[in-house]
Structure formats: structure tokens, C-alpha cells
Amino acid sequence: MVLTHMPDRIPIVEPGESHDEDVNELLREATTEWYEDAAFFGAMAHEPTVFKRLVETLGAFPQSETIDSALLELVRLRVAKCHECAYCGTVRTVDVREDVAPKEEAVLGDDIDETALTHREFLAVKLADYLSTDPHRITDAFFDDLRAEFATDEIVELLLFSSLEVGLDRFTIALTLDTTEAGPYPNSLDYPLSDPQPRDG
């Protein structure tokens, strides 16, 4: 079933509308950094304390030396594909948009294209796929493959980041969140996102 675009289930908090100036500053940052779109932050900003802590947590990634923001963006896009999240599959993380663009197609298909990714990228994206669909399918053999490529702290970081993205995707889907008119993306998004498209860098 496709939910054609409907009015926002809740209004977003626009930059400057919050009584908390720290929240307003984060909302302004969202229009020029992060995804260059304030809708996601604006939805969370109705609960300012949790919102600020979540943004701080998301901003803490990556921590491990050999995990970078481009790898985490591939993970984020795979989670969006698995959940058919129209907002998450439409927006892009600004800082790594150009780096990730050539590999987007590999993670946005029904199956992950292992040939277009490094083995580390494939394992990270596959882990996100499992967490999004059925974590019970994570086998000991797959975990051995993870341990061969990633240190323990890196595996934990990938699990935490992917798990946060799974939950936040579902938050976004529950709200049928649309992009803002001020952002650089198409508006009037339809849920579920049936055919996510790679974007040019």
C-alpha cells in the first residue's frame, strides 16, 4: 500500500520558533549542514532535551579510527532502503555526499552489490541490513567475518549507529515526514519509498 503525500502528522519546529535558543541554533545548522533540510530535526525539536542529546549522540559518530562518515552514510542509506523510508532515502549527508554518490546504487537495490563495495563496506552495510530486517539472521560465521575486518570497538560502533538509524527511520516513517520547501530535495514524498534513486554528488 502506498500512502500518497498527506498533510504533516505533526508540524515541525522551524528555526527561530523554539523558546530554547540552543534548539534554534541546531535547527539553523540543519539547513546548512547535516542534510541541508530541517524537517528531521524540526520534528524531534518538540522534545528539546531529548532532541539536543540525540543530536549530540549522532554527532559523536564516527569514533573509531578506521570508520569514517562515508561508511556510515552507506549504512544509513541501506537502513532507509530496508525500511522504505521516503525521507531518509531522499536526503543526503552533506559532508560526504560526493564521496558516497558513486556507491549509492550498490546499497539501494533489493540486494547489496558486493562487487561495487570494499569488503569492509559490504560487511557494514550487510550488518545494517540484518538489523533492519531480522537481527536473528546474524550468524556466528558472519560475526567471524566482522571480527576479521573490524576491531571490537568498531563492531560496537557499527551496531550502535545502525540501531539508532533503525529506530529513527521508524520515527520518521510514523510521521510520514516530508522535506521542507526550503531544502534542496523534492517535496510531497510518498510512503513507502519503493524505488530509491542514487543522487549525483
Side-chain angles (χ1 to χ4, degrees):
M1 180 178 70
V2 175
L3 298 175
T4 55
H5 181 67
M6 56 191 297
D8 293 333
R9 286 178 170 168
I10 62 170
I12 67 167
V13 180
E14 299 281 357
E17 288 185 346
S18 175
H19 297 298
D20 186 327
E21 192 49 43
D22 290 337
V23 169
N24 287 323
E25 182 57 31
L26 289 172
L27 293 173
R28 284 189 283 269
E29 284 180 11
T31 66
T32 58
E33 302 172 23
W34 295 88
Y35 309 130
E36 288 185 318
D37 186 88
F40 177 55
F41 277 22
M44 293 192 292
H46 286 284
E47 182 42 72
T49 300
V50 176
F51 165 59
K52 287 186 286 186
R53 290 181 180 174
L54 271 172
V55 173
E56 182 180 7
T57 299
L58 291 170
F61 294 96
Q63 284 289 316
S64 308
E65 287 186 10
T66 59
I67 292 178
D68 59 22
S69 297
L71 176 62
L72 296 181
E73 179 72 346
L74 290 172
V75 165
R76 187 189 72 79
L77 290 173
R78 186 61 192 176
V79 173
K81 163 61 182 174
C82 290
H83 290 117
E84 299 178 304
C85 178
Y87 183 87
C88 308
T90 297
V91 300
R92 297 294 185 269
T93 302
V94 176
D95 289 347
V96 294
R97 184 165 49 202
E98 293 184 5
D99 295 334
V100 171
K103 296 189 175 184
E104 284 188 10
E105 192 170 356
V107 302
L108 291 176
D110 290 337
D111 298 311
I112 302 166
D113 182 2
E114 186 173 0
T115 65
L117 304 171
T118 68
H119 190 51
R120 286 171 60 85
E121 289 169 341
F122 170 74
L123 288 173
V125 170
K126 187 65 177 176
L127 178 62
D129 188 286
Y130 281 141
L131 288 169
S132 297
T133 55
D134 183 2
H136 294 289
R137 293 189 300 133
I138 299 174
T139 64
D140 289 341
F142 179 76
F143 227 87
D144 287 342
D145 288 342
L146 283 175
R147 278 194 288 260
E149 292 287 341
F150 296 100
T152 299
D153 63 316
E154 295 171 332
I155 294 172
V156 169
E157 180 166 2
L158 289 172
L159 285 167
L160 287 171
F161 181 80
S162 299
S163 298
L164 282 169
E165 288 296 327
V166 168
L168 292 171
D169 266 40
R170 295 183 179 200
F171 167 82
T172 303
I173 293 165
L175 297 178
T176 58
L177 192 68
D178 197 8
T179 51
T180 63
E181 292 185 3
Y185 305 103
N187 303 119
S188 300
L189 303 178
D190 292 335
Y191 284 78
L193 179 64
S194 59
D195 187 23
Q197 296 296 312
R199 298 191 178 277
D200 296 333

